Amino acid sequence: DKNRNTFKGLRFEQFQSKMEQDDYYVNQFEKYLSKAGLELNLSKNKSVVNRYISAEFARQLYGESQYYQIVLKEDKMIKAVLK
């Protein structure tokens, strides 16, 4: 919530681009986990973690449809059906 203004006025496409290019929120999440006593190395899964963080931000900023648009983007079953 502290950084909500960072996304103010961005179209959904701009938001997606910003989130895909920046590891800031993944790094912040890793620090949060560390402070909570969970030492996890997220480097191998940064793209997955970033996708779910982005999806949750999208849900809060743009709605459910955009959440699923991000989450399902890499879903293997959805990709198979769309072939």
Side-chain angles (χ1 to χ4, degrees):
D1 251 5
K2 293 178 190 176
N3 297 323
R4 189 175 288 262
N5 285 336
T6 302
F7 304 107
K8 190 173 186 172
L10 291 181
R11 292 187 328 266
F12 179 63
E13 295 77 19
Q14 293 171 311
F15 163 80
Q16 280 185 295
S17 178
K18 180 177 180 63
M19 292 300 289
E20 288 171 0
Q21 296 172 8
D22 194 357
D23 286 340
Y24 174 77
Y25 294 101
V26 174
N27 295 333
Q28 290 300 106
F29 183 60
E30 199 165 21
K31 287 178 187 177
Y32 169 79
L33 292 174
S34 180
K35 285 181 184 179
L38 296 168
E39 293 297 326
L40 297 174
N41 183 351
L42 301 177
S43 61
K44 291 183 180 179
N45 297 304
K46 271 193 175 185
S47 63
V48 174
V49 173
N50 191 44
R51 185 168 67 241
Y52 280 94
I53 289 172
S54 298
E56 187 53 43
F57 284 8
R59 180 192 322 237
Q60 293 179 25
L61 295 167
Y62 302 100
E64 291 290 320
S65 178
Q66 285 73 16
Y67 168 84
Y68 288 109
Q69 187 174 337
I70 292 172
V71 168
L72 297 177
K73 182 178 181 181
E74 297 300 320
D75 186 276
K76 291 178 184 179
M77 187 173 71
I78 298 294
K79 283 183 173 186
V81 168
L82 294 175
K83 278 188 180 182

